[in-house]
Amino acid sequence: MDTIDMNPSFWKDDVKKATYWENFLAEFGKEFLKEYRLPEGDIIEYGSYKGNFINTLKSLYPLRKITGFDQDNLDNHENIIELDIRNLSSMREHDCSIAFAINDIPIWEHSGLSKMAAYNHAMTNLVDGGYYLESRKENNKPEFIFANKNLKFIKSTKNIVVFQRISET
C-alpha cells in the first residue's frame, strides 16, 4: 500500500515543503543539463506536482515532448497526465523513447509500489545514453538500482541520484 492509498492528498498538506522541493529539483535539473547532453527522445517526470520542473525543462528544450504523470493535475498543467502511476506499465499508449526520466514519486519506504512502477516504465523506455534521475530521502540507496548493469552512476546529492543508461552490447 502506498501513501496515496492512505492519504490521497498528502502532498497538499505541506504546500510550502512541496513547493520548495519542486523548485530545488528544477534548479538541480537545470544545472545538471548544462553539464550533460541529452540524447534524442522524450522527457518524462513521474510525480509532477504542479509542473515547475516541467516548465523549467520546456524552457530548456522547447521542441521536445515533455510529459508529467501524477495522481492529480492541480493546476491543469497541459503537460501533466493524471493517472495512477502503478497502472502505467499496462498502458502502452504512454510508451516512448525516453531521453531523461525523473522519478520524483515520494520515498521508497512510503510509496514503493508507485516508485517501482515509475522505475519499470523508465527502464523499459529509456534509450541508450538516456538519464534516470531518482529522488530519494537522505542518501537512501535503493541497491537494486545501483546493481542494474544497464545503468552507470553519474552523480548524486543527499536527495538526488542520477544514472545513465549504457548500451546492452
Side-chain angles (χ1 to χ4, degrees):
M1 185 175 298
D2 277 3
T3 302
I4 60 169
D5 298 315
M6 297 176 283
N7 181 6
S9 65
F10 73 96
W11 40 264
K12 294 178 190 173
D13 297 339
D14 194 345
V15 173
K16 184 177 179 181
K17 183 177 180 181
T19 301
Y20 169 82
W21 173 250
E22 188 176 45
N23 291 335
F24 176 83
L25 188 61
E27 191 58 34
F28 176 89
K30 187 166 47 173
E31 292 304 311
F32 175 81
L33 293 168
K34 285 180 185 176
E35 188 176 346
Y36 295 90
R37 187 164 186 257
L38 293 184
E40 288 300 313
D42 296 351
I43 299 172
I44 305 291
E45 182 183 20
Y46 308 96
S48 305
Y49 189 53
K50 292 185 177 184
N52 188 36
F53 195 10
I54 290 172
N55 293 337
T56 297
L57 293 165
K58 286 181 73 63
S59 71
L60 297 171
Y61 298 99
L63 302 179
R64 297 254 185 158
K65 181 177 180 194
I66 301 172
T67 305
F69 295 108
D70 209 313
Q71 176 182 329
D72 285 315
N73 188 352
L74 290 175
D75 290 347
N76 295 315
H77 195 289
E78 66 182 350
N79 297 94
I80 296 176
I81 297 172
E82 197 171 291
L83 57 76
D84 185 334
I85 288 170
R86 295 170 294 185
N87 299 323
L88 191 56
S89 291
S90 64
M91 305 169 87
R92 300 281 60 103
E93 68 267 24
H94 298 301
D95 284 352
C96 58
S97 296
I98 300 175
F100 189 38
I102 302 97
N103 189 347
D104 195 27
I105 302 297
I107 60 177
W108 283 95
E109 65 185 316
H110 299 293
S111 300
L113 296 173
S114 295
K115 274 194 90 67
M116 182 59 83
Y119 171 80
N120 287 336
H121 185 265
M123 292 305 104
T124 299
N125 294 285
L126 194 64
V127 301
D128 285 347
Y131 295 94
Y132 176 76
L133 186 153
E134 172 78 28
S135 67
R136 62 190 183 161
K137 182 180 179 183
E138 298 171 3
N139 293 316
N140 182 9
K141 262 174 82 169
E143 293 301 328
F144 73 93
I145 298 175
F146 282 85
N148 184 331
K149 295 187 185 324
N150 295 321
L151 293 176
K152 175 177 77 172
F153 171 79
I154 299 296
K155 70 185 303 181
S156 68
T157 69
K158 177 180 170 185
N159 297 103
I160 298 171
V161 63
V162 182
F163 300 90
Q164 185 176 33
R165 176 130 199 169
I166 54 176
S167 177
E168 294 182 33
T169 57

